Amino acid sequence: MRKSTLKHGLNVRKPVATTPAKNDGRSAPKSVFAFDELETAAEALQTTHAGGSEAQKSAKLALDLESSDPSVFAYDEVYDKINLARSRLKPSNDLKPRYMEKLLETAENRKVQNEVVKERLLAKQREREGDVFADKETIVTESYREHKEQRQKM
C-alpha cells in the first residue's frame, strides 16, 4: 500500500507555479468585458456617423437606383397592390358554412318525422280509450290546423 500524504481535516494545496505564456505573435484571448473592444466599436461608430466611406457608398447607390427607377423605394404602394390582388382572389365576407344548410334541413325533416310518429301514437291511444272521452269537447286551435295542413302537404 502506498502511504498517503493527506492528513485528516483540511488539506490545503500548495500553489502551483505558473509559467508565463510565450508570445508567439498571436494576441492572447481577451475578456468579453475588455474595454479595448468597446473603444474600437465606438471609434467605428464615429467614423460611420461622420460620413464614413460605407455611408457615402450606400447613399450614392440609393441615388443611382432611384434615378434609374423612381419606384425602387415605394414599398407601401407595392404592398397595397399585393393586398388588393389578394382581396380580389378571396371571396368577400359572405363566407357560409359548407354543410350547415344541409344539416339544418335534415334536422327539420327529423323533427317533422318525430311529430308524425307522436301523432300516430296519440291516435292509437285514443282508439284504445274508445268511448271514454267521446262525450268530451275537443278544442283545436287555428295554428294547429295550419300546422297539420302544412305537414300533410309535405
Side-chain angles (χ1 to χ4, degrees), residues 5-144:
T5 59
L6 297 176
K7 300 176 184 176
H8 296 288
L10 180 64
N11 293 307
V12 180
R13 288 188 170 193
K14 295 178 183 174
V16 178
T18 59
T19 57
K22 296 179 182 177
N23 191 0
D24 58 350
R26 292 183 291 175
S27 62
K30 295 182 180 179
S31 169
V32 175
F33 304 106
F35 289 109
D36 316 353
E37 295 170 6
L38 291 176
E39 290 172 1
T40 56
E43 289 171 3
L45 282 175
Q46 286 176 356
T47 57
T48 56
H49 286 301
S53 62
E54 289 181 28
Q56 288 175 352
K57 287 178 185 177
S58 64
K60 184 178 178 184
L61 179 64
L63 285 174
D64 291 342
L65 287 174
E66 197 167 355
S67 65
S68 65
D69 185 14
S71 65
V72 143
F73 297 111
Y75 300 117
D76 293 334
E77 291 82 10
V78 172
Y79 184 75
D80 291 340
K81 287 178 185 176
I82 291 172
N83 281 340
L84 183 64
R86 284 182 185 166
S87 65
R88 288 180 187 163
L89 292 176
K90 287 183 181 178
S92 62
N93 291 337
D94 300 336
L95 297 175
K96 295 180 182 177
R98 288 184 177 180
Y99 309 108
M100 201 63 194
E101 292 177 9
K102 186 69 174 173
L103 287 173
L104 291 173
E105 185 180 321
T106 55
E108 188 65 31
N109 288 340
R110 287 179 184 162
K111 188 177 179 182
V112 169
Q113 289 172 357
N114 285 336
E115 288 176 2
V116 168
V117 168
K118 285 180 184 179
E119 197 167 310
R120 286 182 187 166
L121 287 174
L122 285 174
K124 286 183 181 180
Q125 185 180 1
R126 286 187 192 128
E127 286 179 15
R128 276 187 263 139
E129 290 172 353
D131 295 330
V132 175
F133 296 107
D135 59 339
K136 303 294 181 188
E137 181 181 355
T138 57
I139 301 172
V140 179
T141 62
E142 188 67 30
S143 63
Y144 182 70

